[in-house]
Amino acid sequence: MMFSYTQIANYLRCPRSYRLRYLDGWQEKDTRAGMVFGRCFEQALFALFCKEDPEARLFREWGTYKDASFIYKNGDSWDRLLHQGVHLLQRFVQDDRIRIRRPRRNLQVKVVRSLSGGHQFISYLDAIGTLDGQACILDWKTTASRYPEGPHDILSLDPQLTSYSWASGIPEVAIVAFVRKQRPEIQYLRASISEEQRQEFGRLLETTISQIEAGQFSPHSGIRFPQNGCLSCAHMGLCLDDQQLIKTNLVRKAGASDLDWLDELMD
């Protein structure tokens, strides 16, 4: 079976949510404008490194959603996001801190690593290149607020970056955060993932997969105010049997075919 960081993170957050998404087929609708815009912006970055027109690519990709019924936050709109995206691309070109050789090979890189039991772990790296001359994994992020820059080495605790480093064997990682503010800003944040951290992630991965194979899908309640994890979970309506929340946030698709065997464990 194939596993990804998103799957593992979803299971660790709440096993019931994992089952609802990956076995029962309940997926969150694309209603958040910022999330969809981020995907369009990544396509513009791809065009930039491939020596195409990134602004035209952004307009084309984002233009397909101009009339979509998105949820816009903090006074955002389709036009405002486009305007911010164009300014961020221009700022990125001016900074000129990133280099990617052979972009069609080193952008959106698929990395597969074998696990015990015939399983595999798959990662999609945004890019492998250099930041200020240092080779590293590059992870693009579009965000409405700045990333914290301290304490020192805080980024090395990011579990997704750790998973990328474990899968690829590359210790140096970096987040390039495109901050959508009134005056757009770009943050270049670096970290080194140690061999010990990579080994710890590998052990966590094996343990988590064994729990999934055993059909352990008990819920993790997030009700503890003010830090309430359930409020941000797309599957909350299913746990509360709230039909309006289900209709608003979810769409049901066929469950992952390679996970169908897990249903037998629950009979």
Side-chain angles (χ1 to χ4, degrees), residues 80-81 83-89 91 95 143 177-187:
R80 183 178 181 184
L81 288 179
H83 181 76
Q84 290 173 337
V86 169
H87 278 274
L88 283 167
L89 288 169
R91 175 68 180 272
D95 289 347
T143 174
F178 298 88
V179 188
R180 298 185 294 98
K181 301 192 302 182
Q182 185 172 0
R183 297 183 63 182
E185 177 185 358
I186 304 176
Q187 294 176 279

Side-chain angles (χ1 to χ4, degrees), residues 2-14 17-18 21-22 121-124 141 159-160 163-164 201 205 208 212:
M2 194 78 75
F3 292 92
S4 68
Y5 168 78
T6 301
Q7 287 176 255
I8 298 302
N10 190 297
Y11 182 86
L12 292 173
R13 182 180 61 80
C14 179
S17 177
Y18 178 96
R21 176 175 178 177
Y22 292 103
F121 185 81
I122 185 171
S123 298
Y124 286 93
K141 300 291 186 185
Q160 187 170 25
S163 77
Y164 291 163
F201 178 80
L205 190 58
T208 304
I212 293 173

Side-chain angles (χ1 to χ4, degrees), residues 39-88:
R39 295 201 293 262
C40 297
F41 189 82
E42 289 185 12
Q43 291 299 313
L45 290 174
F46 186 93
L48 172 65
F49 286 107
C50 292
K51 302 188 182 305
E52 301 171 6
D53 186 337
E55 295 179 23
R57 181 68 170 271
L58 178 62
F59 184 82
R60 183 168 70 251
E61 296 288 339
W62 184 229
T64 62
Y65 300 100
K66 189 168 186 178
D67 298 320
S69 299
F70 283 148
I71 298 173
Y72 289 94
K73 295 183 178 181
N74 303 319
D76 281 340
S77 66
W78 184 91
D79 290 296
R80 183 178 181 184
L81 288 179
L82 177 64
H83 181 76
Q84 290 173 337
V86 169
H87 278 274
L88 283 167

Side-chain angles (χ1 to χ4, degrees), residues 5 100 135 234 258:
Y5 168 78
I100 299 176
D258 58 350

Side-chain angles (χ1 to χ4, degrees), residues 216-231:
Q216 298 179 18
F217 300 111
S218 300
H220 284 179
S221 176
I223 301 301
R224 179 68 180 177
F225 292 96
Q227 301 297 326
N228 183 351
C230 287
L231 288 177

